Amino acid sequence: MVQPPVFADAYVLKDHDTPLVVPDMSDFPTEPLDWQTVAAARRACRVGAAVVYEPSMGSTNERARSLLRHGGADGTVVVTDDQTSGRGRLGRTWTVAPRSALTVSIALRLPASFPLQIMTPAAALAVDTIVSAEVGPRCAIKWPNDVLIDGLKVAGILVELDEAAGWHAVVGIGLNVNATPPYPHATSLAAATGRRFERHVLLIALLDAFEETLVGAERDPAQALRRWRSRLCTLGRRVRAHTPAGTIEGVAIDVDENGALLLRYDDGTVRPLLAGEVSLAPDPAGPP
Ligand code: BTN
């Protein structure tokens, strides 16, 4: 039995069997992902030297995990146009219209000494980099790794770990590109900008940003955490956190060296929150 990790927001795997709710996007014009151009652009890189594409698959995270178990190379990228059993954080599902989004997983083989606490921040920073390039300061990260535009979620990240010789890490990224899932608080790059995007161009930029962030974070984990901290819109806010153990409320005052959110409760105590879904309370100084 693998013990829960002691760093923020990475999950040891369990069964995900919640039924899917498939949004009706039947009139949305689509083309398949140009994955061959992605593979050609990344051939000489660590992240994306191998690209596994299928028009449809259950979960790219599950496929990446299985590839790692069966000898798949470090840096293998798994991507699909139609993810039928996508999984999200906290045992949720992740559902997007076929060919509208990026649903991608990066499979990594990491030494036991790897600073795992930077994996979630590195992924969030990579997504933040490419989204910010399109929308500028409207983009921010909500602890730990939701990427927001104007406060609405445009991307989610699910890091899953298996203890192997060292670690197998799967970094799963779902980015809403040309369609917005019909969920409250969701947006897409298209909705935020009024433009359509070539998904392969975004994917190349995303893999590039992730590799750069990963390499930098391996070299200097504390610096990567500082960079991630500076992009968090959660700090200084009163938040409500839905955790596996129930709902708690407090002021998010900082993050610690593991990436955990430090919450100050109303009784004045400060405790770290390692995983959970955080909602921001309205800013009392903001507009009504
Ligand atoms: C979240 O709940 O915010 C995280 C969502 C992560 C979704 C991505 S889509 C690609 C990868 N494969 C999965 O099954 N999940 C992740």
Side-chain angles (χ1 to χ4, degrees):
M1 169 81 178
V2 181
Q3 292 303 309
V6 292
F7 36 83
D9 205 66
Y11 294 90
V12 174
L13 290 143
K14 59 183 180 184
D15 290 337
H16 295 259
D17 55 5
T18 318
L20 289 175
V21 180
V22 179
D24 178 13
M25 297 277 196
S26 42
D27 60 348
F28 184 76
T30 58
E31 303 106 43
L33 178 75
D34 181 1
W35 66 272
Q36 294 95 334
T37 298
V38 178
R42 301 298 301 168
R43 198 177 296 137
C45 305
R46 171 176 175 189
V47 173
V51 175
V52 174
Y53 167 84
E54 283 173 20
S56 177
M57 77 175 71
S59 158
T60 56
N61 264 34
E62 190 51 44
R63 178 61 64 84
R65 182 189 181 203
S66 161
L67 284 171
L68 283 169
R69 278 210 230 100
H70 295 97
D74 173 64
T76 299
V77 166
V78 180
V79 61
T80 186
D81 268 321
D82 183 13
Q83 183 171 250
T84 55
S85 309
R87 50 199 198 215
R89 296 173 59 233
L90 308 169
R92 298 187 187 133
T93 56
W94 183 265
T95 307
V96 291
R99 298 183 177 182
S100 74
L102 285 180
T103 45
V104 57
S105 298
I106 300 159
L108 298 169
R109 294 179 177 280
L110 303 171
S113 60
F114 187 88
L116 287 169
Q117 74 277 15
I118 57 97
M119 194 52 79
T120 289
L125 281 168
V127 178
D128 175 64
T129 299
I130 67 156
V131 172
S132 292
E134 304 300 337
V135 303
R138 297 161 66 193
C139 179
I141 302 172
K142 178 164 78 82
W143 182 92
N145 55 13
D146 285 348
V147 179
L148 311 181
I149 300 175
D150 300 334
L152 300 172
K153 179 163 169 170
V154 70
I157 293 163
L158 179 65
V159 175
E160 295 178 308
L161 301 164
D162 279 323
E163 202 165 5
W167 291 95
H168 289 173
V170 172
V171 178
I173 297 169
L175 173 64
N176 302 330
V177 180
N178 288 322
T180 304
Y183 305 125
H185 312 301
T187 191
S188 60
L189 280 173
T193 61
R195 288 186 284 128
R196 281 178 56 92
F197 290 82
E198 295 283 3
R199 288 175 302 141
H200 69 278
V201 176
L202 289 173
L203 181 53
I204 292 168
L206 176 65
L207 299 179
D208 200 41
F210 180 70
E211 178 159 337
E212 195 183 321
T213 312
L214 182 73
V215 171
E218 272 175 298
R219 207 181 305 122
D220 189 349
Q223 205 261 346
L225 280 173
R226 280 198 299 278
R227 229 185 102 204
W228 168 70
R229 180 188 181 282
S230 76
R231 298 294 302 144
L232 293 175
C233 58
T234 320
L235 300 184
R237 304 284 300 269
R238 186 169 182 86
V239 300
R240 182 169 296 150
H242 305 282
T243 77
T247 301
I248 51 179
E249 240 186 83
V251 177
I253 57 169
D254 209 341
V255 287
D256 71 10
E257 69 286 358
N258 295 316
L261 188 65
L262 295 176
L263 284 184
R264 187 173 55 229
Y265 295 87
D266 292 341
D267 65 4
T269 57
V270 175
R271 274 171 279 155
L273 175 70
L274 278 166
E277 182 70 25
V278 161
S279 45
L280 304 175
D283 183 351

